[in-house]
Amino acid sequence: MARHLITSAIPYINGIKHLGNLVGSQLPADLYARYLRARGHEVLFLCATDEHGTPAELAAAKAGKPVADYCAEMHAVQAEIARGFDLSFDHFGRSSSAENRALTQSFAKRLADQGLIREVVEKQMYSVVDGRFLPDRYIEGTCPNCGFESARGDQCDNCTKQLDPVDLINPRSTVSGSTELELRDTKHLYLRQSEMKGALSEWIESKADWPILTTSIAKKWLNDGDGLQDRGITRDLKWGVPAQFEGAPWAGMEGKVFYVWFDAPIEYIACAQEWAAATGGDWERWWRTDKGAEDVTYTQFMGKDNVPFHTLSFPATILGSDEPWKLVDYIKSFNYLNYDGGQFSTSRGRGVFMDQALGLLPADYWRWWLLSHAPESSDAEFTWENFQQSANKDLADVLGNLVSRVTKFCRSKFGEVVPEGGDWGVAEDALIAEIEGRLRAYEGFMEAMEVRKAAIELRSIWVAGNEYLQAAAPWTVVKTDPAQAAAQIRLALNLIRIYAVISQPFIPAAAASMMAGMKTDDWTWPTDVRAALGALPVGHVFEVPEVLFRKITDEERVDWAARFAGVRD
Ligand SMILES: [Zn+2]
């Protein structure tokens, strides 16, 4: 069995994420982790909160709390919501951990030793009114590349060009709105990414199996314009990993911290150290290729906006260190999920956020819709009509109905026990052949992380069972040939266990209910479908499970659509 390291892009600490964030990284990463575990592989699945930087400082100030307290509270909130969505992290860490602080400083020192850090005295925007240097994100202005008027200091949201605040035309402070900005001298550390261009380019070119969405973004950043630029990795901020530390190969960096985009990806490694500290596990065999990680397959999940940092910046840190760290093997990136004709918006209250979603319906409804509509090849859109239709049809009518119908019918005719008698014939052979074929396709899509295609195949497997039952009609057959009906129901009860096993990565709570109802804990993957249909033998006792999925009513749909519409532009 193989060993898989899986990380989800780490969500920023400031506020609760919306469903688009969920489906862009954490949820598909969980699907993949669950699938690989179900197939018997060894998995380490890590996620964390990204806690440093100005947004956290400002949010804490707004909440009237010390920033460390604010982050601790928000981490607990995000961890609780992740549990609510059944996200099966082996560890949910924090980028503000002692482990990440030490590791970030160690990487910086190592990069300096390799000649890849240079000190730069530069002019930076200082806001006289705010009394502080302004971080990139707190300066807005007109993009010099495309003319977009609300470009941020670090990146233009319109043309995605990476920017420096001094590039902006007509810059202003987003803290106070003040345009009274002046350039002052400040010293910063730069990672000499330009020196790494050849190595990064060669590495990206070797990834022929990566999604085009991933490699095209990386190549654009490598080659467009003047190519890959050196990047400042420190900021004039208080909250973060201190850039001046004992043993640092530079002086004069007091009062500065590493830029959040330098330390956040390093948390992927630090998170494994946190996991090891909490569990006694061995983090090095997942991350150090000289300590057993050479046979690990490492997969990262993220939204497309995070791709440049994972294909260039973080690999520049890893490759530049010239230490035996594990490099990512596959990056699965996602487009955006839009909300009902527009974008999700925190400030405008548009769209459903993770905590709100769990207040409406259990996680499986959301997991199923989001994964079966994952924005893989293009952006996707959430609409309440589609959500209602998909949940009612796929979950309630197809899967839920099959489970309820089969178990209740068996209880009324044969008792809550797998019945004996009769034999399987042509119809059963045909069903087994169909499920066998579709299951192999499902496995292929899951291994390739083709999330939507996997969902379609899974639904087809559910439908095949329903169609078999519809045609076999044991409720009619029982009147003339009870043994034949018993054989049909025996198959169907076993089918419920198989469905639980293979559906578990998508809908873990419902799968657990189905298994509990079947009174079995046999999660063996149905590699041989015919054999798996004998897992619950004649005489095996079960009980009719609770209704798996209720239907979403039209009233609810209308109510929810109005409630989450927010303020339109
Ligand atoms: Zn632009």
Side-chain angles (χ1 to χ4, degrees):
M1 292 289 111
R3 298 172 59 219
H4 287 269
L5 173 63
I6 300 171
T7 58
S8 159
I10 66 177
Y12 197 69
I13 192 71
N14 176 13
I16 290 160
K17 306 303 147 191
H18 56 65
L19 295 179
N21 301 128
L22 178 64
V23 75
S25 56
Q26 289 180 331
L27 191 52
D30 180 69
L31 179 80
Y32 190 54
R34 284 177 173 277
Y35 174 74
L36 292 174
R37 288 192 200 106
R39 300 307 310 275
H41 299 297
E42 191 183 354
V43 171
L44 185 65
F45 176 27
L46 303 173
C47 191
T49 39
D50 174 7
E51 305 193 358
H52 290 138
T54 310
E57 273 189 333
L58 292 181
K62 197 175 170 191
K65 291 174 181 166
V67 63
D69 294 359
Y70 170 82
C71 287
E73 281 173 30
M74 286 308 298
H75 175 81
V77 168
Q78 293 206 21
E80 182 61 30
I81 293 172
R83 277 191 291 277
F85 274 95
D86 281 324
L87 301 175
S88 60
F89 306 134
D90 290 295
H91 189 73
F92 187 56
R94 303 181 59 187
S95 72
S96 64
S97 67
E99 285 86 349
N100 196 39
R101 169 184 292 227
L103 201 53
T104 298
Q105 292 174 340
S106 150
F107 265 112
K109 182 177 187 311
R110 178 77 192 177
L111 290 165
D113 292 345
Q114 299 291 313
L116 290 171
I117 301 271
R118 60 187 172 93
E119 298 175 32
V120 177
V121 175
E122 61 185 14
K123 306 275 185 195
Q124 189 174 339
M125 292 289 193
Y126 185 87
S127 169
V128 177
V129 170
D130 301 316
R132 61 183 293 176
F133 283 104
L134 289 179
D136 298 356
R137 285 166 161 266
Y138 287 83
I139 305 171
E140 274 189 4
T142 302
C143 173
N145 189 48
C146 74
F148 181 59
E149 288 183 357
S150 298
R152 288 198 322 253
D154 57 345
Q155 190 175 4
C156 174
D157 282 338
N158 189 48
C159 70
T160 76
K161 188 175 171 62
Q162 204 180 358
L163 297 170
D164 253 318
V166 290
D167 298 336
L168 294 172
I169 301 159
N170 301 323
R172 62 188 176 276
S173 160
T174 61
V175 180
S176 59
S178 169
T179 55
E180 199 183 330
L181 308 179
E182 54 186 50
L183 286 173
R184 292 190 182 178
D185 280 351
T186 180
K187 186 163 92 168
H188 283 293
L189 302 178
Y190 270 65
L191 178 60
R192 298 173 69 193
Q193 294 191 138
S194 57
E195 293 290 309
M196 303 291 302
K197 190 186 168 189
L200 288 168
S201 201
E202 196 178 318
W203 179 64
I204 296 287
E205 290 296 339
S206 76
K207 302 299 180 187
D209 61 326
W210 282 14
I212 290 169
L213 180 63
T214 304
T215 50
S216 64
I217 293 172
K219 287 178 186 173
K220 186 168 175 247
W221 280 49
L222 268 174
N223 303 318
D224 273 15
D226 298 330
L228 190 63
Q229 300 295 303
D230 293 350
R231 187 121 168 93
I233 57 165
T234 51
R235 289 292 184 271
D236 291 281
L237 281 182
K238 289 195 190 75
W239 177 236
V241 176
Q244 193 64 58
F245 53 90
E246 205 183 318
W250 46 70
M253 294 299 293
E254 288 81 9
K256 296 168 201 279
V257 299
F258 287 104
Y259 183 33
V260 65
W261 262 113
F262 184 68
D263 83 69
I266 295 172
E267 169 62 13
Y268 290 140
I269 306 174
C271 189
Q273 296 178 332
E274 294 169 44
W275 162 80
T279 63
D282 178 359
W283 69 271
E284 288 186 315
R285 65 188 281 273
W286 293 98
W287 272 107
R288 294 285 298 211
T289 54
D290 59 337
K291 305 254 175 85
E294 68 285 329
D295 65 344
V296 168
T297 302
Y298 178 20
T299 309
Q300 295 176 339
F301 288 80
M302 69 198 64
K304 62 185 170 188
D305 50 331
N306 281 336
V307 167
F309 301 101
H310 288 78
T311 51
L312 303 171
S313 307
F314 186 44
T317 299
I318 297 276
L319 289 169
S321 76
D322 200 30
E323 293 175 322
W325 298 106
K326 178 75 198 158
L327 264 174
V328 67
D329 293 298
Y330 193 84
I331 294 181
K332 173 73 177 180
S333 57
F334 289 85
N335 288 285
Y336 295 138
L337 179 70
N338 293 316
Y339 179 80
D340 210 5
Q343 290 183 333
F344 283 87
S345 167
T346 309
S347 57
R348 295 188 182 87
R350 281 205 80 223
V352 188
F353 289 74
M354 286 172 72
D355 57 337
Q356 298 168 330
L358 291 176
L360 301 180
L361 289 166
D364 281 354
Y365 292 79
W366 304 104
R367 290 179 62 106
W368 174 252
W369 190 90
L370 290 167
L371 289 167
S372 61
H373 295 77
E376 290 180 299
S377 53
S378 61
D379 289 352
E381 186 175 23
F382 178 91
T383 67
W384 288 101
E385 289 77 12
N386 190 306
F387 177 67
Q388 179 194 28
Q389 191 181 29
S390 175
N392 287 0
K393 191 158 162 263
D394 300 344
L395 298 178
D397 286 348
V398 178
L399 181 62
N401 184 44
L402 178 135
V403 171
S404 155
R405 220 171 161 188
V406 167
T407 53
K408 284 179 180 164
F409 172 74
C410 187
R411 179 173 64 188
S412 73
K413 296 297 174 191
F414 305 105
E416 284 178 304
V417 60
V418 177
E420 68 176 324
D423 292 306
W424 296 344
V426 177
E428 288 74 23
D429 288 347
L431 174 67
I432 290 166
E434 178 175 2
I435 291 180
E436 198 96 53
R438 290 195 179 282
L439 188 56
R440 294 296 92 82
Y442 175 66
E443 292 163 0
F445 291 136
M446 289 294 262
E447 269 148 38
M449 291 162 260
E450 296 265 16
V451 177
R452 288 176 89 135
K453 287 179 183 167
I456 289 168
E457 213 57 55
L458 179 60
R459 181 172 47 214
S460 298
I461 294 171
W462 298 341
V463 167
N466 257 353
E467 285 176 348
Y468 162 78
L469 274 177
Q470 207 56 40
W475 25 89
T476 307
V477 172
V478 74
K479 292 168 193 157
T480 53
D481 188 352
Q484 180 61 22
Q488 291 162 345
I489 285 300
R490 195 162 64 246
L491 181 147
L493 288 168
N494 273 283
L495 207 50
I496 292 172
R497 188 196 72 87
I498 292 176
Y499 284 179
V501 173
I502 66 175
S503 307
Q504 177 272 130
F506 280 89
I507 46 172
S513 297
M514 289 158 76
M515 289 298 256
M518 291 300 104
K519 293 199 177 205
T520 176
D521 201 28
D522 177 3
W523 290 90
T524 313
W525 192 263
T527 310
D528 177 339
V529 172
R530 187 177 291 275
L533 285 169
L536 305 180
V538 168
H540 178 89
V541 172
F542 71 92
E543 64 186 14
V544 174
E546 297 286 307
V547 172
L548 286 183
F549 296 101
R550 69 171 184 85
K551 288 203 178 186
I552 298 166
T553 67
D554 290 345
E555 281 160 358
E556 285 174 320
R557 188 199 72 220
V558 170
D559 172 40
W560 295 342
R563 204 190 316 171
F564 298 100
V567 185
R568 293 202 181 248
D569 292 329

